[in-house]
Amino acid sequence: MKAKRIRALTSLLLAVFLLLPSLASCGAEELAASSESETTSPEESSTAVSGEEESLEESSEDTGEEPMENLRDNPDYKNILLGKRYTRSALYPDDSSASYPDEGNITLTDGQLPSSDGKYSDPAFAGFNTNNDYSDRGYASIRVDLNGLYCLDKFEVYVGSKAFFSVGISAPAFARVYASHDGETWYEVGITTHEDTEEVNCIPSVLELNDPITARYLEFRLVADVSRWMFVAEVTAYGIATDKELPYEETPAPELGATFLPAKSSYQFLFIGNSATYVNDIPATLASLCARKGITVTQKQIVPGGRTLEEHAADPAVLAEIAKGYDAVFIQENGNSMTSSSAAEKSLTAIKKLGDAVHASGAVFCFYVRPPYGKDLAGYRNFDQCKLFDDHFTPAAEAQDAHCVYVNRAFAYAIKHLNYNLWGDDNAHTNTYGAYLAVCTFYATLFGKTATELGIAYGLPAADAKALQEAADQIALQGVIPWEE
């Protein structure tokens, strides 16, 4: 009997012991209920403990030490990129023989910044330029393998400032930071911000996160602003080593208004034209401003000076590029090709040939209805040129199942209602005011969104930029036709 009582007492103690973790995690009501229950079997107790352990494990993944709520309090918190090697694109003139080199793929992670009185030729800088493979991607890139998994919450890109603006250098518009666990699938972390200044020669463009992310690989994508030159001295990423991989949040596609483009977060555009497109680099500026609104635009340009659509249509390289497949292809004509019936007929024939190639590729076919010249063109004043170009492309768009970006109408509206000079010294190509008006018209037309939400480009005064944004909205969103007002 004594042995039986001992075994019974042992069983009771074992049951109580198994229940303790559950009791400890319960509130007062649950504790009272548990103490009143005398029927819980060891098997039931074991199940309850197992469930509680799973709950605790899930909680640990959400709020445990890694990632830490106060990551920067960790004594191991540091710049993870220091001394790491990387790959990059868009050094000038190319990665293999740069004029402002990155010695040994280590300059940008060696912890060295230029001296306070240093020049842009300071060896701490590497020079990136938009004239090379930048134009294919729409950004210059710096990609780093961290050689392990890290929990990160702060990223910096140290860049040359507009202290060097007199030689054509300014800070990039921003750097977009991407992270990956496998080096194959990349997720956007965020966009760096900074205040450009002439007071110092090197400034940090910074992204700080409220919620840390984990990554094995990082990529910084630099988007140019007003200058073709971007000088970078250092990239950093701060955090701690971890063995707990956090899932990334998908970046949703931006909400679009009425538009002929599918709702996506990234697009590939091909521009075919001439200097009316490349002067002030309208495609790259569009891409830069779109990026600030969460829309990634990668653009390619085939825009030799003076080229007509007839010449483009006869070029096998142009047709081959179209066949590669883009989301949209934009064609822009030489103004002289619309000033006589014979020239216009050749232009329309070329438009059909290009359109057939675009439609076969699966891209959206678009006309960049170009701005007028500031000077007369074959007897047409600038306002009258706007209607001339319209009369050429509007019926062509209907015939070729194409869409029009009516930059010509935006110029006609500005000529009629605003008091801005829109042309450069040659009175033929746009100045920064005219280029910005074109970019705003593209944005509002393509994405069905007001251009007034765009940031300023080309260093324009805010009030002037707003007036040009509103002019673009009148055309793209309100459907105003200036010569019919």
Side-chain angles (χ1 to χ4, degrees):
M1 291 293 293
K2 183 176 181 181
K4 290 182 179 179
R5 286 196 300 271
I6 291 173
R7 283 197 296 271
L9 180 60
T10 301
S11 297
L12 177 62
L13 289 173
L14 177 61
V16 171
F17 176 77
L18 290 171
L19 278 170
L20 281 176
S22 295
L23 294 173
S25 65
C26 295
E29 294 180 0
E30 287 82 356
L31 181 60
S34 296
S35 65
E36 291 173 2
S37 174
E38 299 177 355
T39 60
T40 303
S41 69
E43 290 80 12
E44 289 172 334
S45 297
S46 177
T47 300
V49 173
S50 176
E52 186 66 14
E53 287 174 346
E54 290 176 3
S55 176
L56 287 173
E57 287 176 1
E58 292 173 0
S59 175
S60 175
E61 289 179 2
D62 292 337
T63 60
E65 184 175 353
E66 292 183 326
M68 303 175 68
E69 290 185 3
N70 298 308
L71 192 64
R72 297 177 194 181
D73 293 339
N74 191 296
D76 293 327
Y77 184 79
K78 63 182 179 180
N79 173 20
I80 304 302
L81 300 190
L82 189 63
K84 294 283 195 304
R85 294 191 177 275
Y86 48 84
T87 58
R88 68 278 184 275
S89 72
L91 281 181
Y92 183 81
D94 57 60
D95 282 357
S96 61
S97 58
S99 298
Y100 303 97
D102 166 17
E103 294 86 353
N105 293 50
I106 198 66
T107 297
L108 305 181
T109 55
D110 62 3
Q112 300 298 313
L113 296 178
S115 60
S116 59
D117 59 349
K119 306 301 182 184
Y120 59 90
S121 56
D122 189 302
F125 278 124
F128 294 80
N129 188 279
T130 64
N131 278 330
N132 48 29
D133 54 358
Y134 177 102
S135 61
D136 294 332
R137 297 181 178 88
Y139 56 84
S141 67
I142 302 164
R143 181 177 292 189
V144 193
D145 181 350
L146 305 181
N147 298 316
L149 187 66
Y150 288 87
C151 187
L152 306 163
D153 72 346
K154 182 179 180 181
F155 310 86
E156 299 172 319
V157 183
Y158 283 83
V159 295
S161 72
K162 61 183 179 183
F164 302 135
F165 196 70
S166 62
V167 292
I169 300 169
S170 65
F174 53 82
R176 194 178 287 275
V177 181
Y178 286 81
S180 175
H181 290 137
D182 58 12
E184 298 293 332
T185 304
W186 293 85
Y187 296 87
E188 182 183 330
V189 179
I191 296 174
T192 65
T193 60
H194 60 268
E195 291 290 336
D196 204 351
T197 177
E198 297 179 356
E199 302 303 316
V200 294
N201 61 5
C202 186
I203 57 175
S205 190
V206 182
L207 169 63
E208 295 186 79
L209 305 179
N210 293 325
D211 299 313
I213 58 97
T214 57
R216 162 69 189 265
Y217 303 88
L218 291 176
E219 183 169 316
F220 299 83
R221 300 180 182 178
L222 282 69
V223 177
D225 194 3
V226 297
S227 171
R228 289 181 177 273
W229 281 106
M230 298 175 290
F231 275 64
V232 182
E234 196 76 10
V235 291
T236 72
Y238 286 85
I240 61 173
T242 183
D243 57 3
K244 296 182 180 178
E245 184 177 289
L246 296 178
Y248 294 118
E249 293 184 4
E250 293 283 356
T251 302
E255 294 184 6
L256 306 182
T259 175
F260 46 81
L261 293 178
K264 298 169 57 178
S265 59
S266 64
Y267 298 88
Q268 289 185 313
F269 293 160
L270 174 62
F271 290 83
I272 299 170
N274 53 46
S275 58
T277 297
Y278 78 71
V279 169
N280 290 307
D281 209 344
I282 289 170
T285 306
L286 173 66
S288 174
L289 293 177
C290 284
R292 300 180 190 183
K293 307 308 298 179
I295 303 172
T296 300
V297 171
T298 303
Q299 49 84 26
K300 170 81 173 180
Q301 303 175 42
I302 306 176
V303 287
R307 182 74 72 90
T308 66
L309 292 181
E310 182 184 17
E311 292 171 316
H312 279 300
D315 187 345
V318 172
L319 300 178
E321 188 63 39
I322 292 172
K324 291 180 180 179
Y326 288 82
D327 291 300
V329 176
F330 301 87
I331 63 171
Q332 170 259 308
E333 182 62 286
N334 184 312
N336 291 303
S337 295
M338 295 172 278
T339 57
S340 70
S341 58
S342 60
E345 189 63 34
K346 292 177 181 179
S347 175
L348 293 174
T349 300
I351 288 171
K352 184 180 186 310
K353 184 175 181 179
L354 292 168
D356 289 344
V358 172
H359 290 311
S361 75
V364 177
F365 192 26
C366 302
F367 298 158
Y368 167 17
V369 188
R370 59 165 297 146
Y373 299 90
K375 57 190 177 184
D376 286 359
L377 175 69
Y380 292 92
R381 297 177 305 145
N382 51 26
F383 187 90
D384 296 330
Q385 292 171 38
C386 296
K387 187 173 187 308
L388 173 69
F389 302 161
D390 211 282
D391 290 343
H392 184 75
F393 276 106
T394 297
E398 183 176 352
Q400 302 301 326
D401 190 22
H403 304 271
C404 291
V405 179
Y406 285 114
V407 173
N408 62 319
R409 294 182 183 180
F411 268 70
Y413 183 91
I415 292 168
K416 192 172 183 179
H417 297 286
L418 303 178
N419 188 29
Y420 294 121
N421 176 32
L422 304 174
W423 293 274
D425 292 340
D426 63 2
N427 212 23
H429 297 96
T430 59
N431 61 14
T432 53
Y433 279 74
Y436 186 69
L437 178 58
V439 169
C440 289
T441 307
F442 264 97
Y443 180 80
T445 303
L446 297 182
F447 305 111
K449 299 161 75 71
T450 173
T452 60
E453 70 182 20
L454 288 179
I456 297 171
Y458 303 115
L460 298 181
D464 295 345
K466 188 172 188 295
L468 295 170
Q469 293 165 351
E470 291 172 345
D473 282 354
Q474 288 294 309
I475 303 306
L477 303 182
Q478 301 302 321
V480 169
I481 302 177
W483 44 87
E484 295 181 0
E485 288 183 299

